[in-house]
Amino acid sequence: KAMCSGKLQTGLLVAGYFVYLLVGAAVFQALERTAEKQEKIAAAQMKEAFLQNFTHLTVAEMEQFMKNLTEAIQNGVYPVGNESQIEDSNWDFSNSFFFAGTVVSTIGYGTLCPKTAGGQIFCVFFALFGIPLNIVFLHRVGKMLSLLCKQLGKYLYEKGMRKKKIKFLTLLFFLATGILVFLCLPSLFFQITEGWSYSEGIYFAFITLSTIGFGDYVVGKKPGRNYFSYYRTLVAIWILFGLAWIALLFNL
């Protein structure tokens, strides 16, 4: 019976966690999308005006243009290329979901941030309740991973191995498989998908999973690169399990 209720609790927790992220993503999208679109239109107009007059601009006007351009880039708007980019939003659903995940996991790359007052206030409350929920969720996933370790230990104990040796071996096994599954293989995947070097992939994977999250490398952001549709969602799932693995590693 305890096992059954435990499974139900886990199921509810996982479902609740994902619903929380999905609702958060939807709210961020609703609050930020229109403001971002206006920002993009303004940047496009600014570029247009510059291209028409750039031969006889004064120094002061040139300075102003540079200032506006820098501001646009800091707001995640790159006035490069043609009009079609106005339609591509940084706050489409997959980006918003990815953002919600980086908030609750405290990674916070800083490449995408809420700019409207509503978005910023919502972000505060979203993080306030989301971070503890994320910790509980990771703890539960970590517990499930540690059960696998226990089963391995039990199997070795039945084979007549000493307890100290078992502890060392399960830790070693856990460390080795984790490094392979969460660092080495994903880095290869990033190398292919993002066009980074393998060492950049390793660096990105570690900076992400340790929740440092500098934001100097971010997935799915290179202009002109074709990413498959669920790429960022897949990366978000990798992050969740990777965080659980790292948390459990520190526990062990």
Side-chain angles (χ1 to χ4, degrees):
K1 192 172 178 182
M3 189 73 187
C4 209
S5 75
K7 272 189 177 158
L8 182 69
Q9 273 180 345
T10 304
L12 283 172
L13 178 67
V14 172
Y17 181 76
F18 278 100
V19 167
Y20 189 79
L21 287 183
L22 289 168
V23 170
V27 175
F28 280 120
Q29 188 182 12
L31 291 171
E32 293 294 323
R33 208 171 179 167
T34 34
E36 186 211 30
K37 193 166 182 181
Q38 285 164 347
E39 186 93 28
K40 285 195 162 180
I41 292 167
Q45 285 168 347
M46 177 186 81
K47 180 184 170 184
E48 201 54 47
F50 173 76
L51 290 176
Q52 278 166 3
N53 302 323
F54 74 94
T55 43
H56 41 258
L57 282 181
T58 66
V59 175
E61 284 170 332
M62 193 63 201
E63 286 287 320
Q64 190 56 45
F65 173 76
M66 299 297 268
K67 207 171 146 190
N68 294 347
L69 184 64
T70 311
E71 218 166 85
I73 289 169
Q74 280 171 346
N75 288 339
V77 177
Y78 301 94
V80 181
N82 52 13
E83 299 293 299
S84 74
Q85 280 176 317
I86 290 177
E87 292 312 307
D88 295 338
S89 174
N90 280 327
W91 291 100
D92 62 14
F93 199 78
S94 79
N95 278 335
S96 301
F97 184 78
F98 191 79
F99 171 73
T102 60
V103 169
V104 297
S105 58
T106 73
I107 295 169
Y109 289 120
T111 44
L112 187 62
C113 348
K115 296 284 186 290
T116 64
Q120 289 171 346
I121 295 298
F122 176 71
C123 190
V124 170
F125 286 101
F126 181 73
L128 206 58
F129 297 102
I131 293 168
L133 176 65
N134 183 63
I135 292 169
V136 173
F137 174 79
L138 289 182
H139 183 70
R140 187 56 66 100
V141 175
K143 244 187 182 165
M144 283 153 75
L145 288 176
S146 71
L147 281 176
L148 291 173
C149 273
K150 273 201 182 115
Q151 276 168 336
L152 177 74
K154 214 171 165 186
Y155 170 77
L156 291 174
Y157 189 65
E158 279 160 10
K159 286 271 176 279
M161 206 178 269
R162 287 200 327 278
K163 278 212 163 154
K164 262 194 174 161
K165 197 175 179 187
I166 289 173
K167 256 192 172 162
F168 176 71
L169 278 178
T170 47
L171 183 64
L172 196 69
F173 169 76
F174 189 70
L175 189 65
T177 48
I179 286 173
L180 186 70
V181 172
F182 293 113
L183 290 175
C184 300
L185 292 175
S187 302
L188 196 67
F189 174 67
F190 294 134
Q191 187 181 6
I192 297 159
T193 321
E194 295 286 346
W196 296 338
S197 68
Y198 189 69
S199 61
E200 285 175 318
I202 290 269
Y203 168 77
F204 166 75
F206 181 79
I207 292 296
T208 296
L209 294 185
S210 58
T211 74
I212 296 169
F214 288 130
D216 48 353
Y217 291 86
V218 182
V219 292
K221 277 287 177 208
K222 271 198 181 161
R225 256 192 118 79
N226 281 331
Y227 299 103
F228 58 94
S229 52
Y230 293 107
Y231 175 52
R232 297 197 84 175
T233 314
L234 248 176
V235 174
I237 292 165
W238 160 73
I239 288 175
L240 287 178
F241 282 98
L243 289 175
W245 169 68
I246 283 207
L248 186 61
L249 193 62
F250 290 148
N251 273 349
L252 283 176

